[in-house]
Amino acid sequence: MTIACDHYHRMDQDLDLMKELGVGSYRFSLRGPGTARRQGTGESGRTGLYRRLVDGLLKREIEPTLTLYHWDLPQPIEDEGGWCARDSVERFGEYVDIVARALGDSVER
């Protein structure tokens, strides 16, 4: 079996290639608006992975450019009415707060 994309396991190699290519910025999307409330923990376990990515980009002088929402609500939130449900706005705010606390010191965009 051939794996077509394995950024998770090959992140350092990928970032080195970006640096070698002269990439000045890297846009990436976070997944899971509302994951904190979905799980009921108030925390997101994914921010550590993104911290590793952001730190790796900055180490190579590549500007991280973060997209907070890329058309993918978690299914339980979608099932509750998606963006038409007023509670989704509150959940998104909680999510943004988690991300800002985790990455806001290093990501300007």
PDB file of all heavy atoms in Angstrom, residues 34-47 94 98 101:
ATOM      1  N   GLY A  34     -15.822  23.911  17.497  1.00  0.00           N
ATOM      2  CA  GLY A  34     -16.748  23.394  18.488  1.00  0.00           C
ATOM      3  C   GLY A  34     -16.330  22.077  19.101  1.00  0.00           C
ATOM      4  O   GLY A  34     -17.092  21.484  19.844  1.00  0.00           O
ATOM      5  N   THR A  35     -15.119  21.603  18.834  1.00  0.00           N
ATOM      6  CA  THR A  35     -14.728  20.308  19.376  1.00  0.00           C
ATOM      7  C   THR A  35     -14.699  20.308  20.901  1.00  0.00           C
ATOM      8  O   THR A  35     -14.945  19.279  21.519  1.00  0.00           O
ATOM      9  CB  THR A  35     -13.351  19.858  18.854  1.00  0.00           C
ATOM     10  OG1 THR A  35     -12.407  20.890  19.103  1.00  0.00           O
ATOM     11  CG2 THR A  35     -13.404  19.541  17.383  1.00  0.00           C
ATOM     12  N   ALA A  36     -14.420  21.441  21.500  1.00  0.00           N
ATOM     13  CA  ALA A  36     -14.365  21.487  22.963  1.00  0.00           C
ATOM     14  C   ALA A  36     -15.726  21.157  23.561  1.00  0.00           C
ATOM     15  O   ALA A  36     -15.839  20.343  24.470  1.00  0.00           O
ATOM     16  CB  ALA A  36     -13.908  22.865  23.434  1.00  0.00           C
ATOM     17  N   ARG A  37     -16.777  21.770  23.036  1.00  0.00           N
ATOM     18  CA  ARG A  37     -18.110  21.505  23.565  1.00  0.00           C
ATOM     19  C   ARG A  37     -18.596  20.133  23.145  1.00  0.00           C
ATOM     20  O   ARG A  37     -19.311  19.482  23.882  1.00  0.00           O
ATOM     21  CB  ARG A  37     -19.094  22.564  23.059  1.00  0.00           C
ATOM     22  CG  ARG A  37     -18.935  23.901  23.713  1.00  0.00           C
ATOM     23  CD  ARG A  37     -19.696  24.033  25.016  1.00  0.00           C
ATOM     24  NE  ARG A  37     -21.100  23.758  24.906  1.00  0.00           N
ATOM     25  CZ  ARG A  37     -22.019  24.622  24.496  1.00  0.00           C
ATOM     26  NH1 ARG A  37     -21.671  25.837  24.146  1.00  0.00           N
ATOM     27  NH2 ARG A  37     -23.273  24.272  24.444  1.00  0.00           N
ATOM     28  N   ARG A  38     -18.214  19.709  21.947  1.00  0.00           N
ATOM     29  CA  ARG A  38     -18.658  18.398  21.469  1.00  0.00           C
ATOM     30  C   ARG A  38     -18.204  17.309  22.414  1.00  0.00           C
ATOM     31  O   ARG A  38     -18.930  16.391  22.741  1.00  0.00           O
ATOM     32  CB  ARG A  38     -18.121  18.138  20.065  1.00  0.00           C
ATOM     33  CG  ARG A  38     -18.611  16.807  19.498  1.00  0.00           C
ATOM     34  CD  ARG A  38     -18.047  16.557  18.146  1.00  0.00           C
ATOM     35  NE  ARG A  38     -16.636  16.260  18.291  1.00  0.00           N
ATOM     36  CZ  ARG A  38     -15.813  16.072  17.290  1.00  0.00           C
ATOM     37  NH1 ARG A  38     -16.231  16.194  16.064  1.00  0.00           N
ATOM     38  NH2 ARG A  38     -14.554  15.785  17.481  1.00  0.00           N
ATOM     39  N   GLN A  39     -16.975  17.422  22.873  1.00  0.00           N
ATOM     40  CA  GLN A  39     -16.422  16.427  23.777  1.00  0.00           C
ATOM     41  C   GLN A  39     -16.782  16.719  25.226  1.00  0.00           C
ATOM     42  O   GLN A  39     -16.612  15.877  26.087  1.00  0.00           O
ATOM     43  CB  GLN A  39     -14.902  16.352  23.629  1.00  0.00           C
ATOM     44  CG  GLN A  39     -14.438  15.950  22.249  1.00  0.00           C
ATOM     45  CD  GLN A  39     -14.939  14.576  21.843  1.00  0.00           C
ATOM     46  OE1 GLN A  39     -15.039  13.683  22.657  1.00  0.00           O
ATOM     47  NE2 GLN A  39     -15.278  14.409  20.578  1.00  0.00           N
ATOM     48  N   GLY A  40     -17.224  17.945  25.509  1.00  0.00           N
ATOM     49  CA  GLY A  40     -17.619  18.311  26.852  1.00  0.00           C
ATOM     50  C   GLY A  40     -16.463  18.519  27.805  1.00  0.00           C
ATOM     51  O   GLY A  40     -16.643  18.573  29.005  1.00  0.00           O
ATOM     52  N   THR A  41     -15.247  18.685  27.282  1.00  0.00           N
ATOM     53  CA  THR A  41     -14.083  18.818  28.150  1.00  0.00           C
ATOM     54  C   THR A  41     -13.647  20.254  28.328  1.00  0.00           C
ATOM     55  O   THR A  41     -12.914  20.560  29.265  1.00  0.00           O
ATOM     56  CB  THR A  41     -12.884  18.037  27.574  1.00  0.00           C
ATOM     57  OG1 THR A  41     -12.518  18.641  26.327  1.00  0.00           O
ATOM     58  CG2 THR A  41     -13.217  16.575  27.373  1.00  0.00           C
ATOM     59  N   GLY A  42     -14.020  21.130  27.393  1.00  0.00           N
ATOM     60  CA  GLY A  42     -13.535  22.498  27.451  1.00  0.00           C
ATOM     61  C   GLY A  42     -12.117  22.646  26.930  1.00  0.00           C
ATOM     62  O   GLY A  42     -11.541  23.702  26.976  1.00  0.00           O
ATOM     63  N   GLU A  43     -11.538  21.570  26.423  1.00  0.00           N
ATOM     64  CA  GLU A  43     -10.183  21.612  25.899  1.00  0.00           C
ATOM     65  C   GLU A  43     -10.125  20.920  24.544  1.00  0.00           C
ATOM     66  O   GLU A  43     -10.978  20.116  24.212  1.00  0.00           O
ATOM     67  CB  GLU A  43      -9.221  20.901  26.849  1.00  0.00           C
ATOM     68  CG  GLU A  43      -9.137  21.526  28.211  1.00  0.00           C
ATOM     69  CD  GLU A  43      -8.211  20.777  29.134  1.00  0.00           C
ATOM     70  OE1 GLU A  43      -7.555  19.824  28.675  1.00  0.00           O
ATOM     71  OE2 GLU A  43      -8.164  21.135  30.312  1.00  0.00           O
ATOM     72  N   SER A  44      -9.107  21.245  23.789  1.00  0.00           N
ATOM     73  CA  SER A  44      -8.913  20.584  22.510  1.00  0.00           C
ATOM     74  C   SER A  44      -7.581  19.859  22.515  1.00  0.00           C
ATOM     75  O   SER A  44      -6.555  20.449  22.836  1.00  0.00           O
ATOM     76  CB  SER A  44      -8.933  21.609  21.370  1.00  0.00           C
ATOM     77  OG  SER A  44      -8.615  20.984  20.152  1.00  0.00           O
ATOM     78  N   GLY A  45      -7.581  18.586  22.185  1.00  0.00           N
ATOM     79  CA  GLY A  45      -6.355  17.805  22.162  1.00  0.00           C
ATOM     80  C   GLY A  45      -5.524  18.020  20.920  1.00  0.00           C
ATOM     81  O   GLY A  45      -4.433  17.494  20.807  1.00  0.00           O
ATOM     82  N   ARG A  46      -6.022  18.777  19.969  1.00  0.00           N
ATOM     83  CA  ARG A  46      -5.321  18.950  18.696  1.00  0.00           C
ATOM     84  C   ARG A  46      -4.343  20.108  18.691  1.00  0.00           C
ATOM     85  O   ARG A  46      -3.539  20.220  17.790  1.00  0.00           O
ATOM     86  CB  ARG A  46      -6.331  19.165  17.580  1.00  0.00           C
ATOM     87  CG  ARG A  46      -7.203  17.964  17.348  1.00  0.00           C
ATOM     88  CD  ARG A  46      -8.132  18.218  16.213  1.00  0.00           C
ATOM     89  NE  ARG A  46      -8.897  17.023  15.960  1.00  0.00           N
ATOM     90  CZ  ARG A  46      -9.962  16.988  15.225  1.00  0.00           C
ATOM     91  NH1 ARG A  46     -10.412  18.081  14.660  1.00  0.00           N
ATOM     92  NH2 ARG A  46     -10.611  15.862  15.025  1.00  0.00           N
ATOM     93  N   THR A  47      -4.416  21.007  19.661  1.00  0.00           N
ATOM     94  CA  THR A  47      -3.578  22.194  19.590  1.00  0.00           C
ATOM     95  C   THR A  47      -2.091  21.861  19.675  1.00  0.00           C
ATOM     96  O   THR A  47      -1.273  22.585  19.137  1.00  0.00           O
ATOM     97  CB  THR A  47      -3.968  23.215  20.673  1.00  0.00           C
ATOM     98  OG1 THR A  47      -3.931  22.582  21.947  1.00  0.00           O
ATOM     99  CG2 THR A  47      -5.343  23.792  20.403  1.00  0.00           C
ATOM    100  N   GLU A  94     -15.907  29.668  21.635  1.00  0.00           N
ATOM    101  CA  GLU A  94     -15.110  28.865  22.570  1.00  0.00           C
ATOM    102  C   GLU A  94     -13.910  28.247  21.858  1.00  0.00           C
ATOM    103  O   GLU A  94     -12.794  28.219  22.385  1.00  0.00           O
ATOM    104  CB  GLU A  94     -15.970  27.761  23.192  1.00  0.00           C
ATOM    105  CG  GLU A  94     -17.039  28.288  24.128  1.00  0.00           C
ATOM    106  CD  GLU A  94     -18.032  27.221  24.541  1.00  0.00           C
ATOM    107  OE1 GLU A  94     -17.923  26.070  24.046  1.00  0.00           O
ATOM    108  OE2 GLU A  94     -18.911  27.532  25.354  1.00  0.00           O
ATOM    109  N   ILE A  98      -9.850  28.837  22.513  1.00  0.00           N
ATOM    110  CA  ILE A  98      -8.880  27.754  22.725  1.00  0.00           C
ATOM    111  C   ILE A  98      -7.691  27.919  21.775  1.00  0.00           C
ATOM    112  O   ILE A  98      -6.534  27.832  22.180  1.00  0.00           O
ATOM    113  CB  ILE A  98      -9.542  26.380  22.538  1.00  0.00           C
ATOM    114  CG1 ILE A  98     -10.515  26.100  23.675  1.00  0.00           C
ATOM    115  CG2 ILE A  98      -8.498  25.272  22.433  1.00  0.00           C
ATOM    116  CD1 ILE A  98     -11.432  24.917  23.427  1.00  0.00           C
ATOM    117  N   ARG A 101      -5.498  30.996  22.694  1.00  0.00           N
ATOM    118  CA  ARG A 101      -4.638  30.734  23.860  1.00  0.00           C
ATOM    119  C   ARG A 101      -3.489  29.802  23.490  1.00  0.00           C
ATOM    120  O   ARG A 101      -2.375  29.952  24.004  1.00  0.00           O
ATOM    121  CB  ARG A 101      -5.449  30.153  25.005  1.00  0.00           C
ATOM    122  CG  ARG A 101      -6.260  31.222  25.742  1.00  0.00           C
ATOM    123  CD  ARG A 101      -6.952  30.712  26.986  1.00  0.00           C
ATOM    124  NE  ARG A 101      -8.201  30.023  26.613  1.00  0.00           N
ATOM    125  CZ  ARG A 101      -8.469  28.753  26.868  1.00  0.00           C
ATOM    126  NH1 ARG A 101      -7.590  27.999  27.487  1.00  0.00           N
ATOM    127  NH2 ARG A 101      -9.605  28.223  26.497  1.00  0.00           N
TER     128      ARG A 101
END
